Amino acid sequence: DAKTTQPPSMDCAEGRAANLPCNHSTISGNEYVYWYRQIHSQGPQYIIHGLKNNETNEMASLIITEDRKSSTLILPHATLRDTAVYYCIVNRNNDMRFGAGTRLTVKP
Amino acid sequence: GAVVSQHPSRVICKSGTSVKIECRSLDFQATTMFWYRQFPKQSLMLMATSNEGSKATYEQGVEKDKFLINHASLTLSTLTVTSAHPEDSSFYICSAAPGQSFNEQFFGPGTRLTVL
């Protein structure tokens, strides 16, 4: 498995940027990094994905290090509704396995 | 964006009965669908990978005779929990991958199963 390591929990103040790190040191050259989030009792929601270049969409930015061994998901202006568990996943052979994720709590 | 639905969203059944959960891709065709199970305060665990028109591939430790998967069309996969027991109570989530390239998966809202 292309395992990922994430901190179990993080707090962020409302309106501030939330930076969620992920280590994926065993990632291979053609494997994408995906980020999903799960709000309590709902299905996972796709956020963003990338291969080696930094990516940005309306939800977040994804910064991938040059060696691709780690990445950071950035929520530029966190709101209370961004409180969720965030999963960083390496897509190996079209197989996505969920780790424990990071529980992000956005506080007023 | 691509939408995946699940039905029912919540089901309560008696021990020993069977329960069928449907997963539908609403606006795209899904060659491959995935079934996950999630226990409280835990992450999603992949149960099986379902390919349209062929037998599902089950993960180690998942009983194929207990969790029957049928992927009869490109927009529908069903998971039947046979002879359900209280320990099968869980949140079941499906996902669907468009076309042959399933680098991206779209997840359903999940089905909460409670077995009494």
Side-chain angles (χ1 to χ4, degrees), chain A residues 31 34 90-97, chain B residues 32 34 36 46 49 97 100-105:
Chain A
E31 295 172 345
Y34 277 77
V90 170
N91 191 334
R92 167 165 285 182
N93 297 324
N94 296 318
D95 185 347
M96 289 207 223
R97 307 290 173 128
Chain B
T32 305
F34 304 84
Y36 295 81
L46 181 65
T49 301
Q100 294 295 333
S101 170
F102 46 93
N103 276 318
E104 191 164 340
Q105 294 183 25

Side-chain angles (χ1 to χ4, degrees), chain A residues 69-83:
Chain A
K69 292 186 177 181
S70 66
S71 60
T72 301
L73 178 74
I74 301 172
L75 307 179
H77 306 287
T79 70
L80 298 179
R81 288 181 293 182
D82 291 323
T83 292

